[in-house]
Amino acid sequence: MPLSDLASFQVQRLQVLDQDGKLDQSLEPDLTRAQKLALYRAMLLAREGDQKAIKLQRQGRIGTFGPSTGQEAASTAPAFAMTERDWFVGAFRELGGWLARGMPLENFLWFHNGWEEGSVFPSLGRTLPVNIIVGSQTLHAVGLAYAMKLRGEQDSAVVAFFGDGATSQGDFHEALNFASVWQAPVVFICQNNQWAISLPVGKQTHSRTLAQKAIAYDMPGIQVDGNDALAMFRATQEALARAKAGGGPTLIEAVTYRLMMHTTSDDPTKYRTEAEVQEWWQRDPLKRFRLYLGAQGLLDEAGHAALEAEVKAEVEAAVARFEARRDFKPDAPFDHVFGTPHPELEGQRKTFLRELAQAGGPEARHG
Amino acid sequence: MAKLNMVQAINLALHQEMERDGTVVVLGEDVGLDEGVFRVTAGLLTRFGEARVIDTPLAEAAIVGTSIGMALGGLRPVAEMQFDGFSYLSIPQLEGHASRLRARSQGQRTVPMVLRFPYGGGVRALEHHSEAREVLYAHVPGLKVVIPSGPRNARALLVSAIRDPDPVVFMEPKALYRAFKEEVPEQAEALPLGQAQVVKEGRDLTLVTWGAMLHRSLQAAEEVDRRRGTRTEVVDLLSLAPLDGETVVNSVSRTGRAVVVQESPQSYGPAAEIIARLNDRALDRLEAPVARVSGFDVVTPYFGREKAYIPDAARVARALEHTLDYR
């Protein structure tokens, strides 16, 4: 008997703005003038904040962190497509998204200076803290989505971020499988920044795209130009609408590039060429969005200079607030083991505080 | 009051908590239609439907990982691992996230979930089906570890575990599942987590144990007491984390002698921690070295050798005699 075709699949790619800022009008998402400017401002804040943080790290004023320069569109634009009823489940390279969700920049700096308090801010709402273990958060996103569905919160879905490296983890595949079986309202956004520290995506997987990993789980998967804020907004908006309408999960592969080091402890010259990095600078998400705003008549040179000055001042103000805070309670970790106190743990707290006092107090012991 | 075995008692707790609180969901492999391989989840699917009694795909890490998300999203998941040996696949999620989200978020997020699974020897099954490794969980800050020893306390502890604001690993001694029945009140009762119970009062020696080891330990204590006219005090820990050191220290401070019985391998086991607490807080009251009766540091043998390896009443009795004889 001859073989028959059971199914065939295709993988689509979405780009709205090309790297020179040229717009495909038929795909342009419906954004107001104010929203477009706000989106650009948010990406600029992420860029300036990221660059400032690298300087602070080099000066020893914060610890190591994973810079996100070059990847601003991939997390900021999705945050603009979300509402506060949606859950934002990040990894550790979503500064733009977190700032857009209302996290003050000083919180990012506290976090990266070794203070858990950085994860708490007034508009926390449905934003989860930084998740370091690669890919593990995708499962939390699916559980959250299941909870939203069971609780009948039809206006809520979940957006989970992770990188290309995560697609090799079992958790990622388990998450896609569970999400698909449960038809859970979740959007998986893979920031394919081409490098998992020193491993290029071509050695991470033999698949031609990461988007096609959705096919095995029978969910929509799309490759998006991740440096194109309009495309990222559009793809996320469509996936969220489908999820909330009961259409289940979506996998978005955001093709982007890590222009900086993996973390500030990493030296990328060991594994990639400067020419490659320069090529990706040409595809800078901010550059093309600025060209787009200029072409739309929304932001001229003078306007841009003023905006840049304003954002830089905002970053400096955040750094000032970051450095002013000193009230990190040394025994806070004992407050957050369990919701109910236990005498054995309280005994250990007393020991800790006694030892600390003998060592010269908390200031003497800042890590 | 009805006489129930441990399976029925745990089942009662699940029914009543799901009835009481619409956010409680049960998930795991074969927990719905098949009612769990030990039938612990019998009747739940029929009563509460497949949205709250979820037959999951086969992936232990995902069962726990999605439970964490559910808990963050306002549900109270009660996840089942089919066997102790399979629960290890979920440890990355338990250790990496369930135990840490409260600290990571400075108390802004909590993970009120229960991970329950049958543990320990006694069912003549394949490799990975008869393991006692409590410390894999008890060593992790932020996890509570509860081990019942009978139908009534299993029900009352599970009720507390489900209502607890933090992740609880609920290890069910499978050898006790159908070993005996007890009166279990229809009305929900709860036992506090992190508190041990003195189940037999005495003055000459304190025997500390938990789970399936309690019954053979009690048997040994009664035999020895009968033979020697002694009175052995028996403490049932019920929770391994947080550990109720106070009850153990108070008891040993009175009796001056102690034996700890554990099914798990010897090194770094719970007995070592209990002995360390006694060293810290009751050393000057001790009249004999604290003895431990435990498994051995070998890979859990297949069931052909199980009886030889798991501590039995005779081994416990010898340790009691030895400790009582010490001068």
Side-chain angles (χ1 to χ4, degrees), chain A residues 87 116-117 119-120 124-125 127-131 136 139-140 142-144 146-148 150-151 171 174 177-178 182 336-340 342 344, chain B residues 25 51 54 57 59 62 65-66 69-70 72-75 93 97 102-109 142-144 166 194 242-243 245-246 277 281:
Chain A
W87 288 85
E116 288 90 339
E117 285 82 349
S119 294
V120 182
L124 188 65
T127 303
L128 290 194
V130 168
N131 186 95
S136 60
L139 287 166
H140 310 158
V142 178
L144 273 169
Y146 190 93
M148 295 305 101
L150 185 71
R151 292 162 59 101
D171 283 357
E174 294 178 18
N177 185 46
F178 272 54
W182 290 345
H336 304 301
V337 183
F338 296 121
T340 42
H342 193 272
E344 300 284 326
Chain B
V25 298
I54 310 159
T66 55
M70 289 178 188
L72 292 169
L75 302 183
Q93 284 288 339
H97 302 296
R102 177 183 285 280
R104 188 180 295 155
S105 67
Q106 294 288 283
Q108 301 299 304
R109 308 279 179 214
L143 289 185
K144 294 186 178 179
D166 293 299
L243 181 68
E246 201 181 331
R277 304 263 173 130
R281 284 142 71 179

Side-chain angles (χ1 to χ4, degrees), chain A residues 185-262:
Chain A
V186 56
V187 181
F188 298 102
I189 298 183
C190 177
Q191 291 204 58
N192 174 7
N193 69 11
Q194 314 302 322
W195 291 94
I197 307 189
S198 66
L199 197 76
V201 70
K203 288 186 176 172
Q204 194 69 246
T205 178
H206 194 63
S207 306
R208 273 175 291 168
T209 69
L210 298 176
Q212 75 196 59
K213 305 217 181 247
I215 292 168
Y217 303 100
D218 211 19
M219 73 171 73
I222 186 169
Q223 188 180 80
V224 178
D225 183 337
N227 285 1
D228 172 357
L230 293 181
M232 284 306 298
F233 181 88
R234 184 186 175 96
T236 310
Q237 191 181 47
E238 281 176 4
L240 280 171
R242 181 164 52 241
K244 291 174 190 176
T250 299
L251 172 64
I252 294 172
E253 175 190 1
V255 178
T256 180
Y257 193 80
R258 162 164 63 74
L259 290 170
M260 302 285 118
M261 56 299 282
H262 163 69

